[in-house]
Amino acid sequence: GAGVSQTPSNKVTEKGKYVELRCDPISGHTALYWYRQSLGQGPEFLIYFQGTGAADDSGLPNDRFFAVRPEGSVSTLKIQRTERGDSAVYLCASSSGPRTEAFFGQGTRLTVV
Amino acid sequence: QKEVEQNSGPLSVPEGAIASLNCTYSDRGSQSFFWYRQYSGKSPELIMFIYSNGDKEDGRFTAQLNKASQYVSLLIRDSQPSDSATYLCAVSKAGTASKLTFGTGTRLQVTL
């Protein structure tokens, strides 16, 4: 695609529910990143994929968070038993390699009520 | 101490002036330094990156890096109202952009 596409753009869910956030990277980009941005803060690294594998998942806050990229393209960030503190904008970025510019999607605004 | 520190602002400069945005980082292992611009409600957009000590110029933008002082700055010459945004400083280790650590950003306001 022309850019990084994230769906949905907005998601409101009840505390305790499960959510999935989708990221469709720029075609051909092998590197994919998930970040989380809370209001008034900079993006916070969650996980980095190179191809299908998670090369660095050190930013995932706890075991309620999980991400997959089974075919090396689309990625899904999964959050179990959501908490109000999970409310944030979840940003996905992709790049053609680990040493090249990462382009961000427009993000998914998650609100846990 | 935060890994990447920025003054949150707002930094207000008149149109046509030079805006100077500053950032300090704590990890001496940091090797790559990035400036992103983020308009309200939008995603970050890369403005400049710098790897070596000194200055790097691109149009109206100049990035400056001083590894000894652990300091990186962004100068915007001839500031325009369209430059009004939050500027995020980000660093990474090992010369890759794979894991960026961001500051909280500095909000810049360019006044008419």
Side-chain angles (χ1 to χ4, degrees):
Chain A
V4 178
S5 176
Q6 292 188 245
T7 55
S9 54
N10 281 283
K11 175 72 176 178
V12 180
T13 190
E14 293 180 347
K15 179 176 177 293
K17 299 290 189 182
Y18 167 84
V19 296
E20 290 189 351
L21 311 179
R22 176 189 167 104
C23 173
D24 197 344
I26 293 172
S27 179
H29 279 191
T30 58
L32 184 147
Y33 321 85
W34 283 100
Y35 287 83
R36 175 171 72 174
Q37 187 172 24
S38 301
L39 192 63
Q41 302 296 313
E44 173 192 19
F45 171 81
L46 296 177
I47 187 169
Y48 156 54
F49 287 90
Q50 182 59 41
T52 60
D56 185 344
D57 64 357
S58 61
L60 295 177
N62 51 59
D63 61 5
R64 296 188 297 106
F65 289 75
F66 190 70
V68 296
R69 196 185 185 199
E71 298 178 357
S73 179
V74 171
S75 176
T76 304
L77 178 66
K78 308 180 181 192
I79 310 174
Q80 298 177 323
R81 304 183 304 280
T82 51
E83 299 177 356
R84 292 194 179 89
D86 299 335
S87 297
V89 175
Y90 288 81
L91 293 164
C92 177
S94 71
S95 69
S96 57
R99 292 178 176 272
T100 60
E101 177 183 357
F103 295 88
F104 282 86
Q106 290 303 306
T108 293
R109 182 176 298 277
L110 175 66
T111 304
V112 182
V113 297
Chain B
Q1 181 187 13
K2 291 183 180 179
E3 286 192 56
V4 180
E5 298 217 40
Q6 297 180 257
N7 188 319
S8 61
L11 173 65
S12 185
V13 299
E15 185 177 6
I18 296 175
S20 178
L21 303 159
N22 304 315
C23 171
T24 58
Y25 60 95
S26 61
D27 189 340
R28 287 195 174 274
S30 301
Q31 294 191 15
S32 305
F33 306 86
F34 304 83
W35 283 100
Y36 282 82
R37 177 176 62 199
Q38 187 172 30
Y39 293 113
S40 182
K42 303 295 185 182
S43 59
E45 172 192 14
L46 184 66
I47 299 296
M48 295 277 299
F49 62 87
I50 187 167
Y51 301 143
S52 303
N53 275 330
D55 294 2
K56 179 181 179 182
E57 186 175 320
D58 183 1
R60 295 188 296 113
F61 300 95
T62 299
Q64 299 175 317
L65 174 61
N66 183 326
K67 288 187 178 180
S69 300
Q70 296 175 243
Y71 177 92
V72 58
S73 65
L74 178 70
L75 301 178
I76 307 175
R77 288 181 298 281
D78 188 23
S79 295
Q80 301 297 309
S82 60
D83 294 327
S84 299
T86 295
Y87 289 79
L88 297 161
C89 173
V91 307
S92 71
K93 300 180 187 180
T96 77
S98 61
K99 179 180 178 180
L100 296 174
T101 301
F102 284 86
T104 56
T106 297
R107 188 157 64 93
L108 173 66
Q109 293 179 337
V110 180
T111 57
L112 295 172

